[in-house]
Amino acid sequence: MRIVNFVAKKIEEMIRGTFFILFFYFIGELVSIMIGRFVPGSVLGMVFLFCALFFKLIKPEYVKDAATVITKNMAVFFVPVAVGLMTYFDLLKQHWVAILAAIAVSSVLVIASVAFVQEKFEKRRGKKDEDDSRQIL
């Protein structure tokens, strides 16, 4: 009987988490339509979900299980995109050098900017730790 209750509770948590994720996704899509698709609805939905979690309108436990399942199986979501990309194989074959250069340059820029920001945070954190150690003495 305890196993049945455990499974029923997990199913309930998954349904609730899926509901919240889809609710904010649909709200984001609705807002996106209202602003003329300037920002994708999925991005707006993610921002709305983040705000709801940040301002404690919903508890993180409500979406944790459903979000974990989605992120662990994220590779499945890229399959349709990759298949759709193959419909443009001739175009990709024609411009592969430019595409590869754009990927390389953007990757280097992202890595450099993350390293720069991380270094600034580490210096700030080190300075704060040093100030804290002085207060203890």
Side-chain angles (χ1 to χ4, degrees), residues 59-126:
K59 294 180 181 177
E61 299 87 44
Y62 291 170
V63 294
K64 181 180 179 184
D65 290 336
T68 301
V69 169
I70 290 170
T71 53
K72 283 188 176 183
N73 297 297
M74 192 171 288
V76 174
F77 297 110
F78 288 101
V79 172
V81 174
V83 170
L85 195 61
M86 287 299 104
T87 60
Y88 296 102
F89 184 73
D90 292 333
L91 189 62
L92 292 171
K93 189 168 66 172
Q94 184 180 0
H95 300 287
W96 72 272
V97 174
I99 294 169
L100 196 62
I103 291 170
V105 169
S106 64
S107 295
V108 168
L109 288 174
V110 167
I111 291 169
S113 63
V114 168
F116 177 75
V117 170
Q118 179 66 25
E119 186 177 323
K120 291 295 182 188
F121 279 129
E122 288 295 326
K123 283 182 182 178
R124 183 180 296 168
R125 183 175 172 204

Side-chain angles (χ1 to χ4, degrees), residues 20 24 48-62:
F20 280 119
F24 284 104
F48 294 150
L49 178 59
F50 172 78
C51 289
L53 289 166
F54 183 78
F55 292 113
K56 298 181 181 8
L57 299 175
I58 62 171
K59 294 180 181 177
E61 299 87 44
Y62 291 170

Side-chain angles (χ1 to χ4, degrees), residues 8-57:
K9 184 178 178 188
K10 281 294 183 186
I11 291 173
E12 179 184 333
E13 289 173 1
M14 287 295 293
I15 291 172
R16 179 177 32 193
T18 305
F19 167 78
F20 280 119
I21 290 170
L22 290 176
F23 174 77
F24 284 104
Y25 168 75
F26 288 126
I27 294 296
E29 284 293 330
L30 188 70
V31 172
S32 177
I33 290 169
M34 290 167 47
I35 64 172
R37 298 269 183 200
F38 180 70
V39 179
S42 57
V43 173
L44 289 174
M46 192 169 29
V47 169
F48 294 150
L49 178 59
F50 172 78
C51 289
L53 289 166
F54 183 78
F55 292 113
K56 298 181 181 8
L57 299 175

